Amino acid sequence: MYSTGSFFGTGSEITVDKVGFKPKVVKLYNTDGNCSAVHTELMDPAAMQKTVDSGSGATDISLVSSGGVTLRTNGFSLGADSDLNVNGEELIFECYQ
């Protein structure tokens, strides 16, 4: 199964329960910033691998252990990560089961 959609960041935890299934993989893209992330079912809750492009030719990839993605029965939640979940910035998600 596959589902995609979008929402706007708030800077606070967001619950996205419009996926329709519990995903095994969640990919997120901040369309206004230079940040993306992926979370798989093998990761701890609130974790994600985050990629941030600083715009100066450098790309930082890090494993985040808090403020990230947690899988839910009908979707996922995104914590208050300051690079990805920015108030008013659009995020696109892809979920796979």
Side-chain angles (χ1 to χ4, degrees):
M1 296 181 92
Y2 171 78
S3 179
T4 187
S6 66
F7 59 93
F8 286 90
T10 63
S12 300
E13 184 172 337
I14 302 170
T15 298
V16 179
D17 278 340
K18 58 184 177 181
V19 174
F21 57 87
K22 184 175 184 176
K24 294 183 178 187
V25 177
V26 176
K27 294 181 180 181
L28 294 165
Y29 308 93
N30 182 316
T31 62
D32 296 314
N34 293 322
C35 187
S36 62
V38 65
H39 175 93
T40 73
E41 67 181 345
L42 301 176
M43 295 175 158
D44 291 336
M48 63 185 173
Q49 180 181 340
K50 179 172 69 171
T51 303
V52 179
D53 182 353
S54 64
S56 62
T59 301
D60 297 318
I61 300 172
S62 58
L63 182 60
V64 177
S65 61
S66 64
V69 175
T70 300
L71 302 178
R72 298 172 50 89
T73 302
N74 289 313
F76 62 93
S77 63
L78 173 62
D81 182 80
S82 62
D83 295 312
L84 193 62
N85 184 1
V86 179
N87 188 32
E89 292 188 357
E90 184 180 25
L91 291 105
I92 294 173
F93 66 84
E94 296 177 46
C95 294
Y96 302 88
Q97 186 179 44

